[in-house]
Amino acid sequence: MLEIKDLRVSYGQDVILNGIDLELGSGETLAIVGESGTGKTTLGLSIMCLTEGTVRGVIRFNGKDLLTLSDNEMQQIRWSQIAMVFQNSNNVLNPVYTVLNQIMEPMVEHGLKSRDEARDRAAELLRYFGFPRDRFSAYPHQLSGGEQQRVLLAMAMANNPELLILDEPLSSLDAASRTEVGNLLRETDKHGAKLVATHDLDTVSKLADRMAVLYGGKIIEAGLTRDVLSRPRHPYTRALIRAYPNMTTVKDLQGIKGRMTRPVSGCPFHPRCTQVIDICRTKTPHLVWSEGRHIACHRGGIITLLSTKNLTTSFGSLKAIESVDLHIEAGETLALVGQTGSGKTTLAKTIMGLHQPTEGDVYLEDAKVDNRGKDFYKRVQMVFQNPGESLSHRLSVLEAVMEPLDIQGIGTDEERKERAIQVLGEVELPQTRDFLNKYPHQLSGGEMQRLAIARALVLDPALLIADEPTAFLDTSVQAKILKLLLNLQEQRGLSMLYITHDIAAARKVSDRIAVMLDGRVIEEGPSSEIIAAPKQEYTKSLLAAASALHSTKSSGIEQQKLNSQ
Amino acid sequence: MHIDLKKEIKESGPGRTGLIILLLMIAVALLAPVIAPYNPYQQSTASLLPPSWNHWLGTNHVGQDIWSRLVFGARTSLLVGFGVGILSTLLGTIFGVSAALLGGLYEKVVMRIVDAFIVIPMIIIVILISAYIRPSILTLILLLSLLSWQGGARIVRAQALSLKERGHVAAARSFGAHHFYIAWRHIVPDLGPILLVDFIYSVRRAVFMEAGLAFLGITDPTVVSWGMMMRDALSFSYLDVWQWWLVPTGVALSLIIIGLTFVGHAAEPVIEPRLRGAEVA
């Protein structure tokens, strides 16, 4: 019904939309998702032919190219066949009309209905969207934001348009109203198509069957809403989901590094992307179909950074780890959870080459790792379990942080020193001369842990294996360290293999959880799923034993009270 | 666990005594030309003189001043001792550390060689070889070093094996460090105290060996040596000369050995902390 081909919109020098292709059939709802400034609204306005910018490309609506129509012809289509609910409801409503008039008026004006019919229709629509009857004669300035939004929806629906463009339809509503209005919108007019422009993923999941993620004027990922939200493939989509407060994911909120900038040569997302290669800077990726998804990324979406295949490490006849298959994607945290002796550390050390595997292989970006040279260790770093031991008592703080650079032979002595001091700042350690000359035994546990992390980060690795990085720390310090790691992930796209026995901590920092028992990975999946619906008995027992703050005793009594009432 | 070697030696009575003896001996050796009134090689017709103001310890059978020879003898003794000490400790460190770090076949071969040498009595080999080649001081140092690094290597390897499992070594490896870097920056510095003890005992053994070989008359006869002096003195045992010729030489040799033993003994708890007994916290 609606087909957009290579749509380009620019205001003067500013290119807002840069080659949009999309199709929308009748009865379908497509969500256009993106941060503010990505061009969502411009896209809606372009379809309505209401932009003031230069528009090129093809917008075909029921076979007619809207961009070639005269103003008059467009006037016919607008509102009656294509209606739009604008984002900024305050300015859209005419302040001198009452609510009911507001909705009637266009119907009368277009000569579609008599005044009485129009009034009935308007009242019906308002009731449908849950607008209180006693406020029909109110003026716009007397309405709350939510009420205004309902009025706008009613206006747009007045003529049962074939295509409804909704710009942030639920944003101004509170949570309860959102669900209500969302349901209403989904139920209304199942034959008409809807295009929902929003930054709000909740709206997307409530309204849309399909979604397209817009960034820098281009669609970067598109697919079924369900698939895209549960398994984002583009780094931007994942970042967007991570930044979105919701009840499904359990990981702490994370932002996206940097700010959106335009114009950008190459991939529009590359300045903020964490897996950039040379081509991303020079060439714009095309939207291609791959594995049930449209995706525009030179790297085919989020890459798998490291994987193990059938990895087994034995000490004599004891198999410390057995047939471990894991993969870690770029920029994600995989938490490895299990009790002491389950082989977590052995797995980490085997990946690091500190133990020789008896069987199986490790792959770094799909290339098999045979001899680990400096190149490997530049990309994969480990924070060891006991920071005190991993620091040589002979090295001062500065020397300890410089050591990896010394070993790798990176830069001059001055540059190394500068870099080391910079990294100390990143892990929030003092950069004073006094501190630089301290020795490990003069540091506190938290400081040692930060120092150990700084050592691992000074090489700017892609993957950080953190083995119980907070085991020896107070909870307050632990919280800071975990926050720090998440921040680093946000800033650098650091992937993490986070090893812990504490599933409660894992839940907060990880995208996925793998549960280990007796050297085997018995369960693996998105953290939210493992936490909410564990399949293995062992995982259930881990969850049951995990830290919780409600007192079991008092809650039992409360429960009884509630029951008796 | 941090062991302060200096403290360890200074705080033990015998250790302090030993250190003083050693320092004195070294001072004598270094200042030999100043202390000795005569050229130790200069012969004269005045042979077998008893002690006098001119010749404190008399003269020997070819008229050389015994005191001067005693003073210069300290040089030979300490030169051989410290030369062998340094060289054999170096060899022991190289082979011990490399065997521990590289492992595999290399380690097996090196350690079997070490075992073989430890089983064979070194003194016999040294005597046999020396009898053939009549070694100069340098050759003697090389020969003794080649035959005496093995014990040290074994101790060093054992310690390095334990050191290489330390967290900071694993960390260094995880930064991409090669064996040499790990050995040099992370293993050897922590071996320090052990190497010192090994060094002291090597020195002691070498001093003793040198004297023994000279006594047997199978070293370079042109170099003053306490062993040789004792041998010469013994052939005149029917005279009174042993009192100022044999006894002072024997005492000098014994002092060096005792000094080294005391220092070594005081430092030994470093290798085996259990020897320290109850005072260990």
Side-chain angles (χ1 to χ4, degrees), chain A residues 225-381:
Chain A
T225 305
R226 198 177 51 238
D227 294 352
V228 176
L229 288 183
S230 66
R231 224 173 70 76
R233 296 245 315 268
H234 195 283
Y236 176 67
T237 316
R238 182 178 66 186
L240 211 54
I241 293 172
R242 279 185 180 167
Y244 186 74
N246 66 89
M247 297 297 283
T248 313
T249 56
V250 291
K251 194 184 185 188
D252 272 4
L253 294 182
Q254 281 179 291
I256 311 173
K257 74 162 178 175
R259 280 192 298 170
M260 192 161 64
T261 47
R262 303 162 180 263
V264 167
S265 65
C267 175
F269 189 57
H270 91 252
R272 305 174 78 182
C273 187
T274 52
Q275 49 175 33
V276 183
I277 51 174
D278 289 341
I279 188 170
C280 302
R281 294 195 180 88
T282 53
K283 210 163 157 267
T284 314
H286 293 294
L287 197 62
V288 291
W289 177 259
S290 106
E291 295 170 46
R293 194 82 54 91
H294 282 289
I295 187 155
C297 179
H298 286 303
R299 311 206 66 178
I302 298 164
I303 55 166
T304 297
L305 187 65
L306 186 121
S307 57
T308 66
K309 297 228 164 70
N310 192 31
L311 201 65
T312 303
T313 303
S314 312
F315 300 118
S317 60
L318 173 79
K319 283 187 174 167
I321 55 168
E322 198 176 348
S323 310
V324 173
D325 293 307
L326 281 179
H327 71 277
I328 302 161
E329 286 177 356
E332 77 161 357
T333 314
L334 171 65
L336 197 58
V337 181
Q339 65 198 26
T340 318
S342 54
K344 305 184 299 285
T345 300
T346 308
L347 176 60
K349 287 193 169 174
T350 307
I351 291 173
M352 287 307 282
L354 297 174
H355 291 317
Q356 281 305 312
T358 340
E359 247 181 274
D361 297 297
V362 175
Y363 296 82
L364 185 64
E365 280 187 22
D366 293 332
K368 193 170 144 188
V369 177
D370 282 323
N371 289 315
R372 289 172 181 77
K374 288 180 176 166
D375 293 347
F376 177 84
Y377 290 115
K378 200 174 173 320
R379 309 213 52 205
V380 183
Q381 274 296 306

Side-chain angles (χ1 to χ4, degrees), chain A residues 170-182:
Chain A
L170 306 182
S171 299
S172 53
L173 303 174
D174 61 74
S177 314
R178 284 160 87 95
T179 314
E180 186 202 336
V181 175

Side-chain angles (χ1 to χ4, degrees), chain B residues 9-71:
Chain B
I9 294 172
K10 276 186 190 159
E11 281 186 357
S12 104
R16 222 169 20 226
T17 319
L19 209 58
I20 292 167
I21 295 174
L22 273 186
L23 289 175
L24 262 170
M25 284 291 179
I26 291 169
V28 167
L30 287 176
L31 300 173
V34 183
I35 295 170
Y38 297 96
N39 179 342
Y41 299 102
Q42 190 190 15
Q43 301 187 1
S44 70
T45 49
S47 61
L48 294 175
L49 289 179
S52 65
W53 279 116
N54 280 336
H55 300 282
W56 294 355
L57 294 175
T59 57
N60 67 7
H61 56 301
V62 287
Q64 290 162 325
D65 180 52
I66 293 178
W67 168 243
S68 301
R69 285 181 72 80
L70 196 63
V71 168

Side-chain angles (χ1 to χ4, degrees), chain A residues 116-179:
Chain A
D116 286 344
E117 281 173 341
R119 183 175 292 114
D120 288 347
R121 174 74 180 143
E124 183 197 338
L125 282 165
L126 281 171
R127 275 199 302 277
Y128 182 80
F129 283 107
F131 191 86
R133 186 187 283 255
D134 54 346
R135 298 184 44 81
F136 280 2
S137 52
Y139 285 92
H141 67 271
Q142 296 172 311
L143 302 179
S144 71
E147 284 169 336
Q148 287 180 348
Q149 190 67 30
R150 285 167 205 256
V151 171
L152 285 168
L153 287 169
M155 271 177 83
M157 290 300 294
N159 206 28
N160 280 332
E162 286 179 59
L163 174 63
L164 185 59
I165 300 168
L166 301 153
D167 195 359
E168 302 287 5
L170 306 182
S171 299
S172 53
L173 303 174
D174 61 74
S177 314
R178 284 160 87 95
T179 314

